Amino acid sequence: MSSEKQTQAESGKTVFVKTYGCQMNVYDSERMVSLLRPLGYRTVENAANADLVILNTCHIREKAAEKLYSDLGRLRRTKAESARDMTVAVAGCVAQAEGEEVAERADIVDIVVGPQAYHRLPEMIARAARRTGAVLDTDFSVEEKFDALARNRDADGVSAFVTVQEGCDKFCTFCVVPYTRGAEISRSAAAIISETRALAQAGVREVTLLGQNVNAWTSPAPAAGYGVKARKDGAWGLGELCRAIARIDGVARIRFTTSHPRDMDEALIAALGEEEKLMPYLHLPVQSGADRILKAMNRGHTAADYFDLIARIRAARPDIALSGDFIVGFPGETNSDFEETLALTEAVCYASAYSFKYSRRPGTPAAILAKQVAEDEKDRRLAVLQALLKEQRDAFCAGLVGETLPVLFERPGRKAGQLIGKTPYLQSVHAYAPDSNVGGIAPVRIEAVTPNALAGELAGAADEGRPARMKAGDAQEPRV
Ligand code: SAH
Ligand code: SF4
Ligand code: F3S
């Protein structure tokens, strides 16, 4: 950073962001910070030192939403003790779902901003400064948001998220997302490719394409073509998009999340099999193994459909590591339904997974179903399922011990001389390696499994990694 810029930043304002929930929120939080930087804001690690506090919230389960109110309580004390004239903004899915209630319940909230209105944040901050009551914006206008937010993008790491799709039309009966994020909208291929190119130029090696239903992404084939064959109907799906991104110089790894089993088409499966830069890891939530429950959840497929899909994916990419989401205790779930979830889990064998107790969400169809499952029974089922999933995760990791895997090094580890990177299967790996390996992909022999990661030994030189001009370490450069 030049000294002139430094002085400017130091004299400017400070922002503290706390992010709850999914990766889409992580992406949105980063974009909000990028948007505020030209206004003189720099980030701080502590709310007490902030002029602006943004809580980017999640509404998916009851506990996630409650967290906001307990954090606002704590923030009230921080604000009272702070010498700064703190502005408090609540963003994200709670803002969208119950923004007015938030503003009423917590008088320290100055701004309520829904996920589709972040690009209007600077204007809202200016309005809030007049201190004439809470400023609310929860309009839906996703296309406008996408491109406005991408314009100020900074790249500051080896791995980056790129949102390609937002919203959900699936209306699973337990889920709030279709209400908080709105209808499925795909960003244009050209915009995604140009954002990814700029990231690659700035040294990013791995991109993770994000969407609530990422594999529902679709767009007319772009005129530029990007060397990718369009489908007969002239459209592109996520498979074509991944192939186009694989052609971008500097991009070494591509991932995408979260996929819905219903949208996993043949073109995407073929791309997973053929495109080396697409990593052999797929998060494919199933929620339940019982057809009765899948139907009540409105998932749109049976357990047999899911097995068939997994078989086709494994035929295309035999080493694929599978991950999933599960809900136990959906209304009406019997013990025998739960046993079917266990049987599905046994049959599929997951490398990693997330599992949750069903949480009743006001306004969703399942919330008013009879036969809600007792909390202690949900606890019991969750413990049984999690024990099985942990066994599978441990077995998957143990199977990697002794193998030499390409590891993308992302950052220094806690111990001196250690770096942290990722395997193609998304496990974190610790290995002793020179700092210059950050941003590079190097062969690492896996030696041991630790509770949250793998330990390995460097077994060769890293590839070239980031473009040389980034190695000089100019953190300001380049802007997108
Ligand atoms: N779009 C993705 C993920 C959405 S939310 C998908 O369809 O898979 C992430 C996960 O949260 C879901 O997969 C589900 O397992 C869980 N989830 C969503 N609503 C929930 C609820 N009401 N109670 C418990 N878990 C829930
Ligand atoms: Fe929620 Fe279902 Fe949409 Fe996923 S597909 S976001 S679980 S409604
Ligand atoms: Fe939560 Fe909204 Fe993501 S409800 S999981 S932050 S889409």
Side-chain angles (χ1 to χ4, degrees), residues 20-25 57-60 93 176-177 180-181 212:
Y20 316 69
C22 64
Q23 288 149 319
M24 187 80 80
N25 266 11
T57 60
C58 172
H59 201 236
I60 201 84
C93 290
V176 294
V177 172
T180 63
R181 294 276 174 169
Q212 261 93 36

Side-chain angles (χ1 to χ4, degrees), residues 60-61 174-175 212-213 258-260 285 287 299 325-327 356-359 361:
I60 201 84
R61 283 168 289 275
F174 51 80
C175 185
Q212 261 93 36
N213 279 287
T258 293
S259 301
H260 193 292
Q287 319 297 357
R299 290 291 291 179
D325 285 347
F326 296 87
I327 295 177
F356 313 97
K357 286 191 287 180
Y358 167 72
S359 170
R361 308 307 291 125

